[in-house]
Amino acid sequence: QLESYEESEQELIRRAWASPPPRVDDEYVDGLVWKFRLEALRAELSAVKRKLGEAEQRGDRDQVALLVTEDRRLVMAGEQHKGKRTT
């Protein structure tokens, strides 16, 4: 089957077969997913805090109330997420 590939591609395929990349197990993937979710929560929290500051400067009490609630929700979600870390 290698004959259908260019010589340089054949060499890459042979080297990959001889020395495959390290296996990625479920624990490693779970750790990455946990990390990405935490980073997403932190980014969302940062955006809410920025919007909250802007709303406070404008004196927009309704928006401040909504954003304070969202801020608390995200802080709690972050703490819960941190508690789920297994690695």
Side-chain angles (χ1 to χ4, degrees):
Q1 290 178 324
L2 286 178
E3 296 79 30
S4 62
Y5 295 96
E6 297 287 328
E7 185 62 37
S8 61
E9 292 172 331
Q10 289 181 26
E11 182 59 29
L12 287 174
I13 293 168
R14 286 187 187 101
R15 288 193 346 221
W17 281 337
S19 168
R23 182 186 162 121
V24 176
D25 61 9
D26 289 345
E27 185 178 329
Y28 178 78
V29 172
D30 289 345
L32 285 178
V33 169
W34 183 91
K35 179 182 172 185
F36 294 151
R37 286 181 179 158
L38 182 61
E39 288 174 2
L41 281 169
R42 286 179 175 165
E44 190 175 357
L45 181 59
S46 178
V48 167
K49 287 186 181 297
R50 181 182 44 78
K51 290 177 185 177
L52 178 57
E54 293 168 357
E56 287 172 337
Q57 286 180 344
R58 290 191 314 271
D60 187 341
R61 292 181 183 186
D62 292 337
Q63 188 69 16
V64 167
L66 287 172
L67 291 168
V68 164
T69 301
E70 183 65 5
D71 179 82
R72 288 180 184 156
R73 184 190 71 78
L74 289 169
V75 168
M76 287 176 43
E79 292 304 315
Q80 288 177 342
H81 185 70
K82 288 177 186 175
K84 292 180 182 179
R85 184 155 190 190
T86 59
T87 56

